[in-house]
Amino acid sequence: IRAASSCTNGQTGCHFLSLANLFDRVIQHSARMHGISNDLHSEFELYFLPSKNQIGRVSRNCHTSTILTPNGKENAQRIAREELTEVILKLLVAWREPLWHFHQNMAQHREFNNFSSNKSLEMSEMVHELRRGVQKVVEKMQMLGVINSSLGNLGSPEALLASDRAEWRLMNDYDLLYCFRRDSNKIQNYLKILKCRIVPEHGC
Amino acid sequence: MYNARMRTHLGLVILCVLSAARVCSSTSAPESPRKFDCRSREKETFSCWWEPGSDGGLPTEYRLFYTQERLREVRECPDYVSAGANSCFFDKKHTSIWAEYTMTVVATNALGNASEEFRITDVMEYVKPDPPVNVTVVVNSSAPSPFLEIRWKSPPDVDVRTGWVTLKYELRVKQNDSKEWKTVDIGSETFFNFYNVYPGLLYMAQVRCKLDHGKWSEWSNTIFAEIPKNCKPTVVTEISFFYLDHQVEKIPLLMGIYILLLKRNVVKQCLLPPVPGPKIKGLNAHLLKSGRSEDVVNALMGNQNFPPVAAWTEQVEDFLLVSDSDEWLLTDSFASEKNKDIFIIPAGLHLGLEIQCRDLSVDLNTWEKTDDSKEEAKSNFLNMEPINLPVEKHEFLNGEEMSIQPLANTSYVDIQQHPTLTDYSRVKEVNDNTILILNEEEIPHGLDAEEVKSEVSVPDDYSRVKEVNSDVVFLEKGDSADKPIMPLESELSKGFCLKMIASGYVDSGPAFSVK
């Protein structure tokens, strides 16, 4: 993360500028992650579901369905910053293992070309990187007093999802991709909303 | 009689049955609706439409019921009107992005009903914004070439301020009579400068946008722009209006061509200036061609006052000697040697030299005698940093005495004829592997060779050793605090002799070893 080297408006201003930079970075990261998940999902559809029928598809159960997420703009703007941040982290943590196993499966199947296999690896790594990035943002926010430090449990979000460990194994690959595409879109949106709530003056 | 009546009754009955049947086939229960589609304009609300099936000839009512992913209850469509016929509009309160909807449309009429279920997995899949608005284009005619300034605004309902949506634009431009569009990805900006235009042509442009990863909107309204033709031709055409007829126009044209032909060299110079080749200051290309290396070297290295080569070659065979006794006069045979051997004696050491440096002896007395000449020599010292070229007097083979005269700003030594100076103590520095020059500030007198031998610290004299050139000698300036770089060994008693060949190779005499 590039330090705000051109700050002249005092320490506080500098801190907020660097927080905005941090946000921009994680948002870019999440946008890229969502793009890859979108590509992979489309490729899957090409190979496995030639007859696309948007309406009338079988319902899917995503393993992250248990995580309560704001499903609209107003909701996302109304809930507390801490809560929104927690949701983001929960989602990121929930996908770490499933994506890793997905990539392992992909690497073994011969019908996928290298391109898709690389994407799945990139995707699983990005989830991990993004989570670290968001944790940095959280630390920065806590340091600046933007959010309460009561989110101590975010240091180990795995604890939050200990019970959901096995559920993702029930999903098949296609459902997994669909669910992740949706969740990566959520993460991207929440991060943008969070940024515009906390540091709106730096481009929204 | 009975037969006629029965036939009539039968006919009537048949007629009745037939008519009854006709009435029955025209009405039925409705068919289930088909083709369900939805659209969200701004990711905050969405609408869905269905295509009704046959209504069975009776007035049919359509109702939509839905459940959401997590809601157990079944709800009915909140708004059947806003989105038109056979539609349902979900406002902000009823819209959940990323949530799954299960819609059921029921068609009901007097005779029955029919329903169909549709599933919307994610409203995000139906996001399609309106096209951008207020698309304007301005032709910017500034130098060096004209371009189109195209601007637009985001569609009215889309909220770009809260970060909820990311809008991306796409622009396409084409010539009016061309078939192919040039498409440009814009990102999130709302303007673009399009440079690929030519004067005199008419262009049309359109913009469209996309929300997040949704679908592209329709193209916006087309805007047109014409690039004006260049001004210069218009001036000419204006002038031409002054001519009565087109024939007269040709006269200045012909005159112009004639003048151009006359002055074609000038024109050629003007229009096609010769491309200058690379130039090295002071270097003449012809010089290189002529091949005289000395001239080239001179040109390249500037106006350095190197001694004339001829003069140097004359002195090639001359040797610098430190000698007080005649026996050190070298024979002519040396003079005839072509190698540029120069012998240097460090200051303070009275060494005799033989060309092979075999017999070196120091005659202290000789040194003392040369006090006067030392003074002389001293005055010839140049205190130049880093070059300190003393004027030395040297005895040479053929009795010529050469002195080393420093050249200004060069490290080159010019050997000239000079009155004899047997005192080589002034040799300060060797330059160019030819001459060792020792900077001697204190000339120890009466220094015994033996002393030299025993006292390694005699380096007082060798403290003059300041610098070694080409591994020959370390010459150190004046300061006795400076340690000599070279250790002196006992063999020093014999002094040392440095024979330097112009190539830089140095033979050191047995007198010492260079560390």
Side-chain angles (χ1 to χ4, degrees), chain A residues 34 54-55 57 59 65 71 73 77 178 182 185 189 192 204, chain B residues 43 70 97-98 100 119 121 124-125 159-160 162-164 166 213:
Chain A
H34 177 62
Q54 295 271 11
I55 315 290
R57 221 182 306 183
S59 168
S65 304
N71 279 340
K73 187 176 82 171
Q77 287 186 311
Y178 179 82
R182 198 169 76 172
N185 197 7
N189 269 257
K192 285 195 289 183
C204 249
Chain B
K43 220 169 105 182
R70 293 200 194 101
I97 312 291
W98 303 303
E100 203 176 82
R119 203 169 297 248
T121 44
M124 280 302 298
E125 292 181 12
D159 177 9
V160 289
T162 59
W164 178 239
T166 308
H213 290 266

PDB file of all heavy atoms in Angstrom, chain A residues 34 54-55 57 59 65 71 73 77 178 182 185 189 192 204, chain B residues 43 70 97-98 100 119 121 124-125 159-160 162-164 166 213:
ATOM      1  N   HIS A  34     -14.145 -10.858  -8.257  1.00  0.00           N
ATOM      2  CA  HIS A  34     -15.477 -11.101  -8.787  1.00  0.00           C
ATOM      3  C   HIS A  34     -15.433 -11.338 -10.284  1.00  0.00           C
ATOM      4  O   HIS A  34     -16.163 -12.179 -10.814  1.00  0.00           O
ATOM      5  CB  HIS A  34     -16.392  -9.916  -8.471  1.00  0.00           C
ATOM      6  CG  HIS A  34     -17.766 -10.062  -9.037  1.00  0.00           C
ATOM      7  ND1 HIS A  34     -18.616 -11.085  -8.668  1.00  0.00           N
ATOM      8  CD2 HIS A  34     -18.424  -9.349  -9.967  1.00  0.00           C
ATOM      9  CE1 HIS A  34     -19.740 -10.974  -9.335  1.00  0.00           C
ATOM     10  NE2 HIS A  34     -19.665  -9.924 -10.135  1.00  0.00           N
ATOM     11  N   GLN A  54     -32.497 -19.364 -17.887  1.00  0.00           N
ATOM     12  CA  GLN A  54     -32.387 -18.515 -16.710  1.00  0.00           C
ATOM     13  C   GLN A  54     -33.529 -18.753 -15.753  1.00  0.00           C
ATOM     14  O   GLN A  54     -33.348 -18.887 -14.561  1.00  0.00           O
ATOM     15  CB  GLN A  54     -32.385 -17.039 -17.138  1.00  0.00           C
ATOM     16  CG  GLN A  54     -31.191 -16.643 -17.963  1.00  0.00           C
ATOM     17  CD  GLN A  54     -30.045 -16.179 -17.093  1.00  0.00           C
ATOM     18  OE1 GLN A  54     -30.082 -16.356 -15.882  1.00  0.00           O
ATOM     19  NE2 GLN A  54     -29.043 -15.584 -17.698  1.00  0.00           N
ATOM     20  N   ILE A  55     -34.695 -18.785 -16.305  1.00  0.00           N
ATOM     21  CA  ILE A  55     -35.852 -18.958 -15.430  1.00  0.00           C
ATOM     22  C   ILE A  55     -36.114 -20.442 -15.246  1.00  0.00           C
ATOM     23  O   ILE A  55     -36.070 -21.203 -16.193  1.00  0.00           O
ATOM     24  CB  ILE A  55     -37.110 -18.314 -16.063  1.00  0.00           C
ATOM     25  CG1 ILE A  55     -36.766 -16.932 -16.610  1.00  0.00           C
ATOM     26  CG2 ILE A  55     -38.242 -18.247 -15.070  1.00  0.00           C
ATOM     27  CD1 ILE A  55     -36.496 -15.906 -15.565  1.00  0.00           C
ATOM     28  N   ARG A  57     -34.474 -22.471 -13.049  1.00  0.00           N
ATOM     29  CA  ARG A  57     -33.349 -23.294 -12.630  1.00  0.00           C
ATOM     30  C   ARG A  57     -33.568 -23.857 -11.243  1.00  0.00           C
ATOM     31  O   ARG A  57     -34.305 -23.287 -10.446  1.00  0.00           O
ATOM     32  CB  ARG A  57     -32.079 -22.457 -12.643  1.00  0.00           C
ATOM     33  CG  ARG A  57     -30.910 -23.198 -13.195  1.00  0.00           C
ATOM     34  CD  ARG A  57     -29.676 -22.373 -13.154  1.00  0.00           C
ATOM     35  NE  ARG A  57     -29.857 -21.083 -13.813  1.00  0.00           N
ATOM     36  CZ  ARG A  57     -28.890 -20.203 -13.954  1.00  0.00           C
ATOM     37  NH1 ARG A  57     -27.716 -20.457 -13.483  1.00  0.00           N
ATOM     38  NH2 ARG A  57     -29.106 -19.061 -14.535  1.00  0.00           N
ATOM     39  N   SER A  59     -33.080 -24.631  -7.517  1.00  0.00           N
ATOM     40  CA  SER A  59     -32.613 -23.779  -6.433  1.00  0.00           C
ATOM     41  C   SER A  59     -31.299 -24.291  -5.878  1.00  0.00           C
ATOM     42  O   SER A  59     -31.049 -25.493  -5.852  1.00  0.00           O
ATOM     43  CB  SER A  59     -33.676 -23.752  -5.327  1.00  0.00           C
ATOM     44  OG  SER A  59     -33.143 -23.172  -4.171  1.00  0.00           O
ATOM     45  N   SER A  65     -25.377 -19.300   3.091  1.00  0.00           N
ATOM     46  CA  SER A  65     -26.732 -18.773   3.266  1.00  0.00           C
ATOM     47  C   SER A  65     -27.028 -18.427   4.705  1.00  0.00           C
ATOM     48  O   SER A  65     -27.890 -17.606   4.988  1.00  0.00           O
ATOM     49  CB  SER A  65     -27.760 -19.802   2.776  1.00  0.00           C
ATOM     50  OG  SER A  65     -27.501 -20.151   1.453  1.00  0.00           O
ATOM     51  N   ASN A  71     -29.261  -7.076   1.903  1.00  0.00           N
ATOM     52  CA  ASN A  71     -29.593  -7.364   0.519  1.00  0.00           C
ATOM     53  C   ASN A  71     -30.078  -6.177  -0.264  1.00  0.00           C
ATOM     54  O   ASN A  71     -30.762  -6.323  -1.262  1.00  0.00           O
ATOM     55  CB  ASN A  71     -30.632  -8.482   0.462  1.00  0.00           C
ATOM     56  CG  ASN A  71     -29.975  -9.835   0.605  1.00  0.00           C
ATOM     57  OD1 ASN A  71     -28.783  -9.972   0.377  1.00  0.00           O
ATOM     58  ND2 ASN A  71     -30.728 -10.823   1.007  1.00  0.00           N
ATOM     59  N   LYS A  73     -29.493  -1.604  -0.912  1.00  0.00           N
ATOM     60  CA  LYS A  73     -28.670  -0.428  -0.647  1.00  0.00           C
ATOM     61  C   LYS A  73     -28.993   0.162   0.710  1.00  0.00           C
ATOM     62  O   LYS A  73     -28.106   0.486   1.494  1.00  0.00           O
ATOM     63  CB  LYS A  73     -28.912   0.609  -1.745  1.00  0.00           C
ATOM     64  CG  LYS A  73     -27.961   1.793  -1.650  1.00  0.00           C
ATOM     65  CD  LYS A  73     -28.140   2.749  -2.788  1.00  0.00           C
ATOM     66  CE  LYS A  73     -29.316   3.684  -2.519  1.00  0.00           C
ATOM     67  NZ  LYS A  73     -29.390   4.779  -3.508  1.00  0.00           N
ATOM     68  N   GLN A  77     -26.556   0.472   3.993  1.00  0.00           N
ATOM     69  CA  GLN A  77     -26.174   1.770   4.534  1.00  0.00           C
ATOM     70  C   GLN A  77     -26.629   1.945   5.962  1.00  0.00           C
ATOM     71  O   GLN A  77     -26.068   2.763   6.695  1.00  0.00           O
ATOM     72  CB  GLN A  77     -26.760   2.891   3.671  1.00  0.00           C
ATOM     73  CG  GLN A  77     -26.048   3.013   2.352  1.00  0.00           C
ATOM     74  CD  GLN A  77     -26.532   4.208   1.570  1.00  0.00           C
ATOM     75  OE1 GLN A  77     -27.726   4.410   1.422  1.00  0.00           O
ATOM     76  NE2 GLN A  77     -25.613   5.008   1.099  1.00  0.00           N
ATOM     77  N   TYR A 178     -21.434 -20.753  -8.671  1.00  0.00           N
ATOM     78  CA  TYR A 178     -22.532 -19.799  -8.660  1.00  0.00           C
ATOM     79  C   TYR A 178     -22.587 -19.052  -7.331  1.00  0.00           C
ATOM     80  O   TYR A 178     -22.750 -17.824  -7.296  1.00  0.00           O
ATOM     81  CB  TYR A 178     -23.857 -20.515  -8.909  1.00  0.00           C
ATOM     82  CG  TYR A 178     -24.997 -19.553  -8.883  1.00  0.00           C
ATOM     83  CD1 TYR A 178     -25.316 -18.799  -9.995  1.00  0.00           C
ATOM     84  CD2 TYR A 178     -25.723 -19.341  -7.711  1.00  0.00           C
ATOM     85  CE1 TYR A 178     -26.340 -17.878  -9.957  1.00  0.00           C
ATOM     86  CE2 TYR A 178     -26.742 -18.414  -7.659  1.00  0.00           C
ATOM     87  CZ  TYR A 178     -27.050 -17.683  -8.787  1.00  0.00           C
ATOM     88  OH  TYR A 178     -28.041 -16.758  -8.745  1.00  0.00           O
ATOM     89  N   ARG A 182     -21.846 -14.938  -6.536  1.00  0.00           N
ATOM     90  CA  ARG A 182     -22.758 -14.062  -5.813  1.00  0.00           C
ATOM     91  C   ARG A 182     -22.081 -13.435  -4.602  1.00  0.00           C
ATOM     92  O   ARG A 182     -22.192 -12.245  -4.339  1.00  0.00           O
ATOM     93  CB  ARG A 182     -23.965 -14.879  -5.368  1.00  0.00           C
ATOM     94  CG  ARG A 182     -25.160 -14.071  -4.992  1.00  0.00           C
ATOM     95  CD  ARG A 182     -26.348 -14.957  -4.825  1.00  0.00           C
ATOM     96  NE  ARG A 182     -26.313 -15.693  -3.567  1.00  0.00           N
ATOM     97  CZ  ARG A 182     -27.334 -16.428  -3.123  1.00  0.00           C
ATOM     98  NH1 ARG A 182     -28.436 -16.522  -3.826  1.00  0.00           N
ATOM     99  NH2 ARG A 182     -27.234 -17.068  -1.980  1.00  0.00           N
ATOM    100  N   ASN A 185     -19.588 -10.749  -5.412  1.00  0.00           N
ATOM    101  CA  ASN A 185     -20.275  -9.507  -5.740  1.00  0.00           C
ATOM    102  C   ASN A 185     -20.702  -8.781  -4.466  1.00  0.00           C
ATOM    103  O   ASN A 185     -20.589  -7.562  -4.358  1.00  0.00           O
ATOM    104  CB  ASN A 185     -21.489  -9.807  -6.613  1.00  0.00           C
ATOM    105  CG  ASN A 185     -21.990  -8.571  -7.328  1.00  0.00           C
ATOM    106  OD1 ASN A 185     -21.363  -7.521  -7.271  1.00  0.00           O
ATOM    107  ND2 ASN A 185     -23.103  -8.694  -8.002  1.00  0.00           N
ATOM    108  N   ASN A 189     -19.459  -5.048  -3.270  1.00  0.00           N
ATOM    109  CA  ASN A 189     -20.415  -3.983  -2.996  1.00  0.00           C
ATOM    110  C   ASN A 189     -20.288  -3.462  -1.570  1.00  0.00           C
ATOM    111  O   ASN A 189     -20.335  -2.258  -1.325  1.00  0.00           O
ATOM    112  CB  ASN A 189     -21.832  -4.500  -3.226  1.00  0.00           C
ATOM    113  CG  ASN A 189     -22.275  -4.262  -4.652  1.00  0.00           C
ATOM    114  OD1 ASN A 189     -23.034  -3.364  -4.924  1.00  0.00           O
ATOM    115  ND2 ASN A 189     -21.754  -5.051  -5.554  1.00  0.00           N
ATOM    116  N   LYS A 192     -17.355  -1.232  -1.152  1.00  0.00           N
ATOM    117  CA  LYS A 192     -17.544   0.100  -1.728  1.00  0.00           C
ATOM    118  C   LYS A 192     -18.439   0.955  -0.843  1.00  0.00           C
ATOM    119  O   LYS A 192     -18.175   2.135  -0.615  1.00  0.00           O
ATOM    120  CB  LYS A 192     -18.144  -0.018  -3.125  1.00  0.00           C
ATOM    121  CG  LYS A 192     -17.132  -0.468  -4.166  1.00  0.00           C
ATOM    122  CD  LYS A 192     -17.614  -0.233  -5.571  1.00  0.00           C
ATOM    123  CE  LYS A 192     -18.727  -1.194  -5.922  1.00  0.00           C
ATOM    124  NZ  LYS A 192     -19.181  -1.048  -7.318  1.00  0.00           N
ATOM    125  N   CYS A 204     -16.103   8.706  -4.684  1.00  0.00           N
ATOM    126  CA  CYS A 204     -17.131   7.706  -4.494  1.00  0.00           C
ATOM    127  C   CYS A 204     -17.970   7.589  -5.749  1.00  0.00           C
ATOM    128  O   CYS A 204     -18.743   8.436  -6.063  1.00  0.00           O
ATOM    129  CB  CYS A 204     -18.007   8.080  -3.308  1.00  0.00           C
ATOM    130  SG  CYS A 204     -17.718   6.934  -1.979  1.00  0.00           S
TER     131      CYS A 204
ATOM    132  N   LYS B  43     -30.405  -1.460  -9.872  1.00  0.00           N
ATOM    133  CA  LYS B  43     -30.006  -2.373  -8.808  1.00  0.00           C
ATOM    134  C   LYS B  43     -30.704  -2.051  -7.491  1.00  0.00           C
ATOM    135  O   LYS B  43     -30.255  -2.449  -6.426  1.00  0.00           O
ATOM    136  CB  LYS B  43     -28.473  -2.304  -8.597  1.00  0.00           C
ATOM    137  CG  LYS B  43     -27.798  -3.633  -8.330  1.00  0.00           C
ATOM    138  CD  LYS B  43     -26.317  -3.483  -8.410  1.00  0.00           C
ATOM    139  CE  LYS B  43     -25.688  -3.504  -7.029  1.00  0.00           C
ATOM    140  NZ  LYS B  43     -24.239  -3.322  -7.070  1.00  0.00           N
ATOM    141  N   ARG B  70     -35.407 -16.595   2.086  1.00  0.00           N
ATOM    142  CA  ARG B  70     -35.447 -16.924   3.510  1.00  0.00           C
ATOM    143  C   ARG B  70     -36.820 -16.729   4.127  1.00  0.00           C
ATOM    144  O   ARG B  70     -37.042 -17.108   5.251  1.00  0.00           O
ATOM    145  CB  ARG B  70     -34.423 -16.064   4.261  1.00  0.00           C
ATOM    146  CG  ARG B  70     -33.022 -16.424   3.874  1.00  0.00           C
ATOM    147  CD  ARG B  70     -32.043 -15.975   4.906  1.00  0.00           C
ATOM    148  NE  ARG B  70     -30.698 -16.053   4.327  1.00  0.00           N
ATOM    149  CZ  ARG B  70     -30.026 -15.025   3.858  1.00  0.00           C
ATOM    150  NH1 ARG B  70     -30.552 -13.828   3.916  1.00  0.00           N
ATOM    151  NH2 ARG B  70     -28.844 -15.187   3.334  1.00  0.00           N
ATOM    152  N   ILE B  97     -31.473  -7.730  -3.430  1.00  0.00           N
ATOM    153  CA  ILE B  97     -30.444  -8.191  -4.364  1.00  0.00           C
ATOM    154  C   ILE B  97     -29.808  -9.442  -3.770  1.00  0.00           C
ATOM    155  O   ILE B  97     -29.782  -9.605  -2.546  1.00  0.00           O
ATOM    156  CB  ILE B  97     -29.385  -7.088  -4.574  1.00  0.00           C
ATOM    157  CG1 ILE B  97     -30.061  -5.745  -4.848  1.00  0.00           C
ATOM    158  CG2 ILE B  97     -28.444  -7.436  -5.700  1.00  0.00           C
ATOM    159  CD1 ILE B  97     -30.757  -5.664  -6.170  1.00  0.00           C
ATOM    160  N   TRP B  98     -29.290 -10.267  -4.618  1.00  0.00           N
ATOM    161  CA  TRP B  98     -28.610 -11.508  -4.241  1.00  0.00           C
ATOM    162  C   TRP B  98     -29.531 -12.529  -3.581  1.00  0.00           C
ATOM    163  O   TRP B  98     -29.079 -13.540  -3.064  1.00  0.00           O
ATOM    164  CB  TRP B  98     -27.431 -11.256  -3.290  1.00  0.00           C
ATOM    165  CG  TRP B  98     -26.413 -10.317  -3.836  1.00  0.00           C
ATOM    166  CD1 TRP B  98     -25.723 -10.448  -5.008  1.00  0.00           C
ATOM    167  CD2 TRP B  98     -25.974  -9.103  -3.242  1.00  0.00           C
ATOM    168  NE1 TRP B  98     -24.899  -9.376  -5.165  1.00  0.00           N
ATOM    169  CE2 TRP B  98     -25.027  -8.541  -4.100  1.00  0.00           C
ATOM    170  CE3 TRP B  98     -26.302  -8.432  -2.051  1.00  0.00           C
ATOM    171  CZ2 TRP B  98     -24.387  -7.339  -3.829  1.00  0.00           C
ATOM    172  CZ3 TRP B  98     -25.676  -7.238  -1.766  1.00  0.00           C
ATOM    173  CH2 TRP B  98     -24.717  -6.696  -2.654  1.00  0.00           C
ATOM    174  N   GLU B 100     -32.939 -15.065  -3.760  1.00  0.00           N
ATOM    175  CA  GLU B 100     -33.668 -15.857  -4.732  1.00  0.00           C
ATOM    176  C   GLU B 100     -35.162 -15.632  -4.575  1.00  0.00           C
ATOM    177  O   GLU B 100     -35.702 -15.650  -3.461  1.00  0.00           O
ATOM    178  CB  GLU B 100     -33.340 -17.330  -4.514  1.00  0.00           C
ATOM    179  CG  GLU B 100     -33.552 -18.182  -5.727  1.00  0.00           C
ATOM    180  CD  GLU B 100     -33.109 -19.598  -5.468  1.00  0.00           C
ATOM    181  OE1 GLU B 100     -33.908 -20.363  -4.878  1.00  0.00           O
ATOM    182  OE2 GLU B 100     -31.965 -19.914  -5.822  1.00  0.00           O
ATOM    183  N   ARG B 119     -38.411 -18.941 -11.409  1.00  0.00           N
ATOM    184  CA  ARG B 119     -37.426 -18.733 -10.352  1.00  0.00           C
ATOM    185  C   ARG B 119     -36.425 -17.670 -10.776  1.00  0.00           C
ATOM    186  O   ARG B 119     -35.878 -17.732 -11.871  1.00  0.00           O
ATOM    187  CB  ARG B 119     -36.698 -20.030 -10.047  1.00  0.00           C
ATOM    188  CG  ARG B 119     -36.103 -20.074  -8.671  1.00  0.00           C
ATOM    189  CD  ARG B 119     -35.642 -21.474  -8.371  1.00  0.00           C
ATOM    190  NE  ARG B 119     -36.767 -22.404  -8.371  1.00  0.00           N
ATOM    191  CZ  ARG B 119     -37.222 -23.029  -7.290  1.00  0.00           C
ATOM    192  NH1 ARG B 119     -36.654 -22.829  -6.126  1.00  0.00           N
ATOM    193  NH2 ARG B 119     -38.228 -23.869  -7.368  1.00  0.00           N
ATOM    194  N   THR B 121     -33.010 -16.406  -9.574  1.00  0.00           N
ATOM    195  CA  THR B 121     -31.967 -16.740  -8.622  1.00  0.00           C
ATOM    196  C   THR B 121     -31.307 -15.493  -8.042  1.00  0.00           C
ATOM    197  O   THR B 121     -30.893 -15.470  -6.898  1.00  0.00           O
ATOM    198  CB  THR B 121     -30.888 -17.588  -9.303  1.00  0.00           C
ATOM    199  OG1 THR B 121     -30.596 -17.011 -10.572  1.00  0.00           O
ATOM    200  CG2 THR B 121     -31.380 -18.999  -9.489  1.00  0.00           C
ATOM    201  N   MET B 124     -29.413  -9.535  -9.636  1.00  0.00           N
ATOM    202  CA  MET B 124     -28.232  -9.010 -10.313  1.00  0.00           C
ATOM    203  C   MET B 124     -28.149  -9.480 -11.754  1.00  0.00           C
ATOM    204  O   MET B 124     -27.579  -8.803 -12.599  1.00  0.00           O
ATOM    205  CB  MET B 124     -26.947  -9.448  -9.589  1.00  0.00           C
ATOM    206  CG  MET B 124     -26.615  -8.643  -8.365  1.00  0.00           C
ATOM    207  SD  MET B 124     -26.412  -6.899  -8.681  1.00  0.00           S
ATOM    208  CE  MET B 124     -25.038  -6.905  -9.788  1.00  0.00           C
ATOM    209  N   GLU B 125     -28.716 -10.635 -12.023  1.00  0.00           N
ATOM    210  CA  GLU B 125     -28.631 -11.143 -13.389  1.00  0.00           C
ATOM    211  C   GLU B 125     -29.511 -10.372 -14.355  1.00  0.00           C
ATOM    212  O   GLU B 125     -29.398 -10.531 -15.560  1.00  0.00           O
ATOM    213  CB  GLU B 125     -29.040 -12.616 -13.415  1.00  0.00           C
ATOM    214  CG  GLU B 125     -28.050 -13.503 -12.698  1.00  0.00           C
ATOM    215  CD  GLU B 125     -28.461 -14.955 -12.766  1.00  0.00           C
ATOM    216  OE1 GLU B 125     -29.372 -15.281 -13.553  1.00  0.00           O
ATOM    217  OE2 GLU B 125     -27.859 -15.754 -12.031  1.00  0.00           O
ATOM    218  N   ASP B 159     -27.583   5.519  -8.876  1.00  0.00           N
ATOM    219  CA  ASP B 159     -26.935   6.212  -7.768  1.00  0.00           C
ATOM    220  C   ASP B 159     -25.441   5.901  -7.782  1.00  0.00           C
ATOM    221  O   ASP B 159     -25.016   4.803  -7.429  1.00  0.00           O
ATOM    222  CB  ASP B 159     -27.563   5.754  -6.451  1.00  0.00           C
ATOM    223  CG  ASP B 159     -26.881   6.383  -5.252  1.00  0.00           C
ATOM    224  OD1 ASP B 159     -26.049   7.289  -5.455  1.00  0.00           O
ATOM    225  OD2 ASP B 159     -27.158   5.952  -4.129  1.00  0.00           O
ATOM    226  N   VAL B 160     -24.664   6.885  -8.215  1.00  0.00           N
ATOM    227  CA  VAL B 160     -23.225   6.664  -8.274  1.00  0.00           C
ATOM    228  C   VAL B 160     -22.503   7.240  -7.080  1.00  0.00           C
ATOM    229  O   VAL B 160     -21.300   7.105  -6.955  1.00  0.00           O
ATOM    230  CB  VAL B 160     -22.625   7.269  -9.572  1.00  0.00           C
ATOM    231  CG1 VAL B 160     -23.055   6.460 -10.774  1.00  0.00           C
ATOM    232  CG2 VAL B 160     -23.048   8.713  -9.735  1.00  0.00           C
ATOM    233  N   THR B 162     -23.020   6.684  -3.717  1.00  0.00           N
ATOM    234  CA  THR B 162     -22.825   5.917  -2.494  1.00  0.00           C
ATOM    235  C   THR B 162     -21.948   4.693  -2.676  1.00  0.00           C
ATOM    236  O   THR B 162     -21.748   3.936  -1.746  1.00  0.00           O
ATOM    237  CB  THR B 162     -24.178   5.440  -1.947  1.00  0.00           C
ATOM    238  OG1 THR B 162     -24.796   4.635  -2.958  1.00  0.00           O
ATOM    239  CG2 THR B 162     -25.064   6.613  -1.612  1.00  0.00           C
ATOM    240  N   GLY B 163     -21.483   4.495  -3.901  1.00  0.00           N
ATOM    241  CA  GLY B 163     -20.651   3.324  -4.119  1.00  0.00           C
ATOM    242  C   GLY B 163     -21.442   2.044  -4.296  1.00  0.00           C
ATOM    243  O   GLY B 163     -20.871   0.964  -4.371  1.00  0.00           O
ATOM    244  N   TRP B 164     -22.747   2.193  -4.391  1.00  0.00           N
ATOM    245  CA  TRP B 164     -23.563   0.998  -4.526  1.00  0.00           C
ATOM    246  C   TRP B 164     -23.421   0.393  -5.908  1.00  0.00           C
ATOM    247  O   TRP B 164     -23.485  -0.815  -6.082  1.00  0.00           O
ATOM    248  CB  TRP B 164     -25.018   1.366  -4.235  1.00  0.00           C
ATOM    249  CG  TRP B 164     -26.018   0.271  -4.370  1.00  0.00           C
ATOM    250  CD1 TRP B 164     -27.084   0.260  -5.201  1.00  0.00           C
ATOM    251  CD2 TRP B 164     -26.055  -0.971  -3.655  1.00  0.00           C
ATOM    252  NE1 TRP B 164     -27.793  -0.906  -5.050  1.00  0.00           N
ATOM    253  CE2 TRP B 164     -27.185  -1.675  -4.114  1.00  0.00           C
ATOM    254  CE3 TRP B 164     -25.249  -1.556  -2.668  1.00  0.00           C
ATOM    255  CZ2 TRP B 164     -27.537  -2.940  -3.617  1.00  0.00           C
ATOM    256  CZ3 TRP B 164     -25.601  -2.813  -2.197  1.00  0.00           C
ATOM    257  CH2 TRP B 164     -26.739  -3.492  -2.671  1.00  0.00           C
ATOM    258  N   THR B 166     -21.219   0.572  -9.753  1.00  0.00           N
ATOM    259  CA  THR B 166     -20.097   1.054 -10.543  1.00  0.00           C
ATOM    260  C   THR B 166     -20.529   1.060 -12.000  1.00  0.00           C
ATOM    261  O   THR B 166     -20.835   0.012 -12.562  1.00  0.00           O
ATOM    262  CB  THR B 166     -18.882   0.127 -10.372  1.00  0.00           C
ATOM    263  OG1 THR B 166     -18.618  -0.042  -8.992  1.00  0.00           O
ATOM    264  CG2 THR B 166     -17.671   0.710 -11.051  1.00  0.00           C
ATOM    265  N   HIS B 213     -21.567  -6.085 -13.204  1.00  0.00           N
ATOM    266  CA  HIS B 213     -21.385  -7.102 -14.238  1.00  0.00           C
ATOM    267  C   HIS B 213     -22.686  -7.409 -14.960  1.00  0.00           C
ATOM    268  O   HIS B 213     -22.867  -8.501 -15.490  1.00  0.00           O
ATOM    269  CB  HIS B 213     -20.830  -8.378 -13.604  1.00  0.00           C
ATOM    270  CG  HIS B 213     -19.409  -8.203 -13.154  1.00  0.00           C
ATOM    271  ND1 HIS B 213     -18.342  -8.552 -13.940  1.00  0.00           N
ATOM    272  CD2 HIS B 213     -18.893  -7.672 -12.035  1.00  0.00           C
ATOM    273  CE1 HIS B 213     -17.230  -8.257 -13.286  1.00  0.00           C
ATOM    274  NE2 HIS B 213     -17.529  -7.728 -12.139  1.00  0.00           N
TER     275      HIS B 213
END
